[in-house]
C-alpha cells in the first residue's frame, strides 16, 4: 500500500487492467479481466485507481454479469417480462475508486448495459469512450422512388436479412423489424419521426447486396437522397445505470452509442457529469 504523509489525503493504490490478462488492441475479451481487476480493487482499503492502458478493449456478453434491475421508463412488463440486465462493467458496494481510461475505447458486443454503479460512494469514470460493435440502429439512403415502391441502399456497417419478404436488421444476439423510424433530410439538416416503412411494406426484395426494393400498397412519396433511420424499440438495456449511490463523477467520457436509454440515475445524489461527448464517433 502507498504511504501517506501526516495531514494529507492517502495516495491511491493503482491497479493496472493489463495485469489481469488482457492487452489493449488485442481483440481478446476484456470482460473477465475487468471483473477480476474490480474485485481486486474492492479488497483494498482506501482510494484505488483502476488504470487502463490506452487502446481498444472488447467486451463480449458470454461472461457478463446478469442481474435483475428495474429501470425507469424502459420496457413494460408486457414488452419484456425479464428485467435481467446484461452488464459489461459493474461497480457494486464500492467506495473511493477511479476508473481511468486514458482515452481508451471500450467496445461492447451484443446488447449490454455498459456500466452499472450500484450502492457506491465517490466513484469517478474518467477519460474513456464507449461504443457498440454493432449498434441497434440502422440507416438506409433512398435511391429511387416509384408509383408503389421505393429503393434504398443499406449502409454497409449494418447487417440485414430477408425472411418471407420482410426486412430484419440483426447483430450479436439480437434481431428486429419493428421500432421507431425517422427521416433525415441532408439538404436542410433536419430529422423527424415517421411511420416505420419496413413494417408497412407489402414485400421487400433484394435487387443486389445492400440495395433493396420496398413494395408498398400506395405511392410512398419518398424523396431520393433522404436517409431513413430505424432502431430496435425494445428498451431492455440502457447505456449506463447509477443506483443508490452518491458522489459519482463522469469526466471526459464519450458515450458514442447507448441502447434503449442513456445514463439513467435512480435514488442517487451528488452526481457530476463534465465534458461528455454524446455523439457518434466521426470515423463511424
Amino acid at each position: 500500500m502507498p504511504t501517506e504523509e501526516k495531514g494529507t489525503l492517502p495516495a491511491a493504490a493503482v491497479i493496472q487492467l493489463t495485469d489481469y490478462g488482457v492487452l489493449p488492441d488485442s481483440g481478446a475479451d476484456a470482460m473477465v479481466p475487468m471483473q477480476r481487476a474490480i474485485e481486486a480493487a474492492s479488497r483494498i482499503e482506501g482510494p484505488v485507481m483502476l488504470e487502463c492502458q490506452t487502446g481498444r478493449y472488447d467486451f463480449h456478453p458470454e461472461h457478463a454479469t446478469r442481474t435483475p434491475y428495474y429501470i425507469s421508463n424502459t420496457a413494460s412488463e408486457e414488452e419484456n417480462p425479464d428485467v435481467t440486465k446484461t452488464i459489461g462493467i459493474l461497480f457494486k458496494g464500492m467506495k473511493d475508486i477511479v476508473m481511468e481510461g486514458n482515452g481508451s475505447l471500450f467496445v461492447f458486443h451484443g446488447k449490454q448495459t455498459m456500466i452499472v454503479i450500484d450502492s457506491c460512494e465517490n466513484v469517478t469514470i474518467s477519460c474513456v469512450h464507449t461504443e457498440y460493435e454493432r449498434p441497434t440502429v440502422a440507416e438506409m439512403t433512398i435511391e429511387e422512388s416509384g408509383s408503389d415502391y421505393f429503393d434504398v441502399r443499406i449502409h454497409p456497417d449494418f447487417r440485414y436479412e430477408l425472411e418471407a419478404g420482410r426486412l430484419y436488421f440483426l447483430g450479436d444476439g439480437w434481431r428486429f423489424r419493428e421500432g421507431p423510424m425517422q427521416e433525415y433530410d441532408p439538404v436542410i439538416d433536419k430529422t423527424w419521426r415517421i411511420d416505420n416503412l419496413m413494417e408497412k411494406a407489402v414485400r421487400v426484395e433484394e435487387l443486389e447486396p445492400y440495395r433493396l426494393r420496398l413494395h408498398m400498397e400506395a405511392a410512398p412519396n419518398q424523396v431520393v437522397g433522404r436517409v431513413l433511420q430505424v432502431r430496435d424499440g425494445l428498451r431492455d438495456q440502457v447505456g449506463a445505470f447509477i443506483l443508490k449511490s452518491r458522489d459519482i463523477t463522469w469526466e471526459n467520457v464519450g458515450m458514442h452509442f447507448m441502447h434503449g436509454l442513456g445514463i439513467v440515475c435512480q435514488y442517487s445524489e451528488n452526481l457530476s457529469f463534465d465534458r461528455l461527448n454524446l455523439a457518434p464517433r466521426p470515423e463511424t
Side-chain angles (χ1 to χ4, degrees):
M1 290 290 296
T3 60
E4 59 177 288
E5 297 180 6
K6 186 176 181 179
T8 64
L9 294 175
V14 177
I15 286 181
Q16 298 287 346
L17 178 59
T18 51
D19 291 340
Y20 291 84
V22 66
L23 294 175
D25 304 315
S26 66
D29 188 0
M31 188 71 76
V32 172
M34 178 63 79
Q35 291 168 348
R36 290 172 177 167
I38 293 173
E39 173 62 25
S42 71
R43 296 194 298 265
I44 295 176
E45 294 287 341
V48 183
M49 175 181 288
L50 196 168
E51 187 168 30
C52 308
Q53 291 184 12
T54 304
R56 168 175 167 148
Y57 297 86
D58 289 82
F59 294 84
H60 294 266
E62 287 76 13
H63 300 289
T65 302
R66 288 176 171 80
T67 302
Y69 282 111
Y70 291 89
I71 300 181
S72 174
N73 198 28
T74 53
S76 67
E77 186 176 2
E78 291 75 20
E79 291 176 303
N80 184 43
D82 184 2
V83 298
T84 301
K85 300 297 179 281
T86 302
I87 301 167
I89 299 172
L90 173 62
F91 297 98
K92 186 168 184 178
M94 300 184 69
K95 183 178 180 181
D96 300 332
I97 182 168
V98 175
M99 185 174 74
E100 175 55 58
N102 289 307
S104 293
L105 175 64
F106 290 179
V107 178
F108 295 84
H109 297 251
K111 280 188 187 181
Q112 297 189 50
T113 296
M114 298 181 286
I115 300 173
V116 171
I117 300 174
D118 180 359
S119 305
C120 292
E121 183 176 345
N122 193 24
V123 174
T124 297
I125 309 297
S126 176
C127 297
V128 65
H129 297 262
T130 66
E131 174 73 285
Y132 266 37
E133 171 67 12
R134 201 168 296 280
T136 54
V137 170
E139 290 188 353
M140 60 197 93
T141 301
I142 300 168
E143 293 194 335
E144 183 177 332
S145 184
S147 59
D148 60 355
Y149 73 90
F150 66 99
D151 298 345
V152 296
R153 176 76 61 178
I154 305 292
H155 193 284
D157 282 353
F158 303 105
R159 292 166 55 194
Y160 69 91
E161 64 182 5
L162 299 181
E163 182 180 290
R166 295 179 174 181
L167 172 61
Y168 294 86
F169 288 98
L170 63 156
D172 299 330
W174 57 263
R175 179 176 186 257
F176 76 92
R177 174 172 173 262
E178 300 177 350
M181 178 175 277
Q182 59 191 32
E183 184 171 347
Y184 170 64
D185 185 340
V187 176
I188 60 175
D189 194 27
K190 287 187 177 180
T191 304
W192 58 92
R193 183 70 59 86
I194 63 172
D195 291 338
N196 187 327
L197 300 177
M198 290 167 47
E199 297 178 40
K200 295 174 74 70
V202 175
R203 179 172 60 91
V204 181
E205 66 172 315
E206 186 175 63
L207 304 178
E208 60 184 63
Y210 288 92
R211 190 172 189 216
L212 308 179
R213 174 162 292 178
L214 280 73
H215 296 271
M216 313 298 290
E217 289 185 345
N221 298 319
Q222 296 302 306
V223 178
V224 172
R226 289 185 180 174
V227 178
L228 303 178
Q229 304 164 331
V230 62
R231 67 175 174 86
D232 183 352
L234 183 61
R235 292 177 171 178
D236 50 350
Q237 306 287 336
V238 298
F241 186 44
I242 301 173
L243 176 67
K244 297 179 181 178
S245 298
R246 62 183 299 169
D247 302 324
I248 308 301
T249 300
W250 296 58
E251 57 187 17
N252 291 317
V253 173
M255 304 286 283
H256 301 295
F257 184 81
M258 294 182 279
H259 171 79
L261 285 177
I263 304 171
V264 182
C265 310
Q266 290 179 195
Y267 309 112
S268 298
E269 60 181 322
N270 297 338
L271 310 178
S272 174
F273 301 92
D274 189 14
R275 299 185 302 279
L276 264 62
N277 180 355
L278 307 176
R281 291 183 294 134
E283 65 270 27
T284 64

